[in-house]
């Protein structure tokens, strides 16, 4: 079964600092990759997705992620964070499980706190 | 546009009481539907998923069950709640298992 590791439980940054959140997965087959964000008091929202196209994926609100197949990684980046980026971020891996089905596995999440 | 509704938003129940949480999706047909439990620091745990009416797959053995009486309705139930059933429950849907999932606002369940 696949697993997803998010290395940082809690990241604290000052506004304008650069962000990189790590995500590694263990699965050797076909995968689709997602980053979700959960702002305080809100539901989970899709931030960006990777579907076998350009390994550098652009998402909403200036976020991007790079899929490095050889490293089984899909790290999330933003060059300059804002206070409004304070949220919990979840990496998710959708792995092909056969017969046209995929199984989605989430990482444990990384809380980002941005200090004004 | 598609929307997903979960209710209630919060629920406080005594141990041993029954449970029914409801999730409905609008604006799409034959969605895949999912129930998750989200625990702080532990991410999302898939409980059940359904690819069609009456078709339920259980991922984790537990005190809960799920049903899909209509195409866009997914219900999470229990006959007798345990203290360990406390948590935050999320419903989600997508149009195919390889597609991103879209989440409801969740239900905070507290068992006393």
């Amino acid at each position: 079964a696949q697993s997803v590791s998010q290395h940082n439980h809690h990241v604290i940054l000052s506004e304008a600092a650069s962000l990189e959140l790590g995500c590694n997965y263990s699965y050797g087959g076909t995968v689709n990759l997602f980053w979700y964000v959960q702002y305080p008091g809100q539901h989970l929202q899709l931030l960006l997705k990777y579907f076998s196209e350009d390994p550098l994926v652009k998402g909403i609100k200036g976020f991007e992620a790079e899929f490095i197949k050889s490293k089984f990684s899909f790290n999330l980046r933003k060059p300059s964070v804002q206070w409004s980026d304070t949220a919990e971020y979840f990496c998710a891996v959708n792995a092909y499980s056969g017969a046209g089905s995929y199984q989605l596995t989430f990482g444990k999440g990384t809380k980002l706190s941005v200090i004004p | 546009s598609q929307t997903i509704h979960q209710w209630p938003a919060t629920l406080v129940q005594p141990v041993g009481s029954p449970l029914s949480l409801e999730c409905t999706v609008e604006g799409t047909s034959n969605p895949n539907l999912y129930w998750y439990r989200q625990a702080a620091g532990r991410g999302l745990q898939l409980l059940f998923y359904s690819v069609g009416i009456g078709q339920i797959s259980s991922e984790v053995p537990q005190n809960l069950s799920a049903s899909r009486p209509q195409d866009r309705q997914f219900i999470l139930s229990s006959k007798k709640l345990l203290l360990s059933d406390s948590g935050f429950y999320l419903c989600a849907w997508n149009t195919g298992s390889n597609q991103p999932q879209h989440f409801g606002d969740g239900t905070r369940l507290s068992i006393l």
Side-chain angles (χ1 to χ4, degrees):
Chain A
Q2 65 270 21
S3 63
V4 181
S5 298
Q6 290 184 243
H7 314 298
N8 305 102
H9 178 63
H10 192 185
V11 173
I12 303 173
L13 295 173
S14 299
E15 273 193 318
S18 64
L19 170 73
E20 181 159 3
L21 301 183
C23 173
N24 285 89
Y25 66 94
S26 63
Y27 185 74
T30 302
V31 293
N32 298 323
L33 301 162
F34 309 100
W35 275 97
Y36 283 86
V37 60
Q38 189 171 30
Y39 297 103
Q42 296 188 27
H43 62 271
L44 272 165
Q45 303 171 42
L46 183 67
L47 197 57
L48 50 77
K49 59 186 178 182
Y50 169 78
F51 268 77
S52 304
E53 61 275 18
D54 188 333
L56 185 60
V57 181
K58 304 282 187 184
I60 59 172
K61 304 186 181 185
F63 286 91
E64 65 178 30
E66 185 175 11
F67 173 51
I68 303 179
K69 189 174 181 178
S70 60
K71 295 185 178 180
F72 298 92
S73 70
F74 190 54
N75 292 353
L76 181 70
R77 300 195 293 244
K78 185 171 183 178
S80 176
V81 294
Q82 301 171 322
W83 176 79
S84 57
D85 294 324
T86 295
E88 190 160 16
Y89 293 82
F90 293 91
C91 180
V93 176
N94 213 11
Y96 185 66
S97 54
S101 293
Y102 284 73
Q103 184 171 4
L104 187 65
T105 303
F106 282 86
K108 293 183 179 180
T110 298
K111 284 188 181 176
L112 172 65
S113 298
V114 180
I115 303 169
Chain B
S1 63
Q2 302 93 347
T3 55
I4 178 169
H5 302 282
Q6 269 188 259
W7 67 92
T10 57
L11 187 61
V12 181
Q13 293 282 95
V15 169
S17 64
L19 172 74
S20 181
L21 302 182
E22 191 161 339
C23 172
T24 59
V25 179
E26 296 176 1
T28 188
S29 296
N30 197 31
N32 293 339
L33 296 169
Y34 306 83
W35 277 112
Y36 289 89
R37 178 158 50 201
Q38 183 180 11
R42 285 158 61 175
L44 277 73
Q45 180 187 36
L46 179 63
L47 302 176
F48 301 95
Y49 70 92
S50 171
V51 298
I53 295 174
Q55 300 178 61
I56 309 295
S57 296
S58 174
E59 290 296 302
V60 182
Q62 60 213 312
N63 186 42
L64 302 168
S65 62
S67 61
R68 185 170 177 174
Q70 299 180 41
D71 181 44
R72 290 169 289 176
Q73 184 184 30
F74 204 25
I75 297 172
L76 185 67
S77 305
S78 174
K79 291 182 180 177
K80 277 188 176 182
L81 285 166
L82 306 172
L83 279 175
S84 57
D85 292 324
S86 291
F88 190 58
Y89 291 85
L90 288 167
C91 182
W93 71 274
N94 62 8
T95 55
S97 64
N98 65 334
Q99 296 298 313
Q101 293 181 19
H102 306 280
F103 288 83
D105 289 335
T107 295
R108 176 77 58 193
L109 176 63
S110 299
I111 310 301
L112 304 178

